[in-house]
Amino acid sequence: MAKELKTKKSVRGRRKKPVAKVECNDNCYGSFALLRNDGTLPLKSDKNVAIVECKKSKGIATAQVLSKTLSQSVEKVAHVCHVFGQKSPKGDIKTTAKQVKKFPIVILYIRSEAKGYLAEVEQLATYIRKHSSLIICYHKIGNLLSSTLISKANSVIVCFNKDKEEGKALCNIMLGNVSPFARVNISASEPFNYEYLTTASENDFMGFGASYVNFSYTNVSLSRYTAKVGEIFEVQATVSNNSQIEASEIVQLYITPAHTFAPKLIDYGVVKINAYES
């Protein structure tokens, strides 16, 4: 059930839709990482949005739930299906792109069943990008994690876990009701690798991920700056949430061994901080 958070008026004097937060399990937010964002996200309530669901045959519940929940908060939502493996891929790509041409924001939703159709996905993204801001949403799906595809998007959200409430959680993230805080580890061999620090069920992770929230670290102090193996030292810091969204931050502690000069993660903690608090 959606609850109204706030209502705005548009520049033209029309009453905008209320920005609604859909209730869902908080645990499902832990698997979303924001890899790229140029300011397209969070979505504005006065925007028209099209969701292009990339699939082979069967329906994808997440995209349908996302479409239904977004329609409660944005001006207009269209749901378009792009089916892979057709006789005329280029013609189908142009047809799909034409259907969403008048929408300023297009969400390209890709699932693992699109594996093997990277060239078609990249071409579709190229056509859409000519006339619309492009948001790409996908699961961790091997060869679709290409730098070429990511470079075509204004914003990129990746999800690593399957959850029945995933579409609702994704909607809240896109509207800015919740800030994504999952992290991916970037390396030369695996550009985007989801790395758990403990067990997979706890949703603890490290690495890179963008956020809607500006966190700052101040008053950092150490009881000692050098230590031998086995010696204990204390680290203290103040973490501040300088934004209007309640969000979680993963505080990570690294040391640099003298013999390698490569930072090594030795401790971490997830802290949830209210807006404008420390």
Side-chain angles (χ1 to χ4, degrees), residues 215 250-251:
F215 289 103
I250 301 174
V251 181

Side-chain angles (χ1 to χ4, degrees), residues 76-96:
K76 180 180 179 182
V77 178
H79 184 194
V80 177
C81 291
H82 179 82
V83 181
F84 294 118
Q86 300 300 299
K87 293 182 179 179
S88 177
K90 189 173 182 179
D92 292 326
I93 289 171
K94 289 184 176 180
T95 299
T96 300

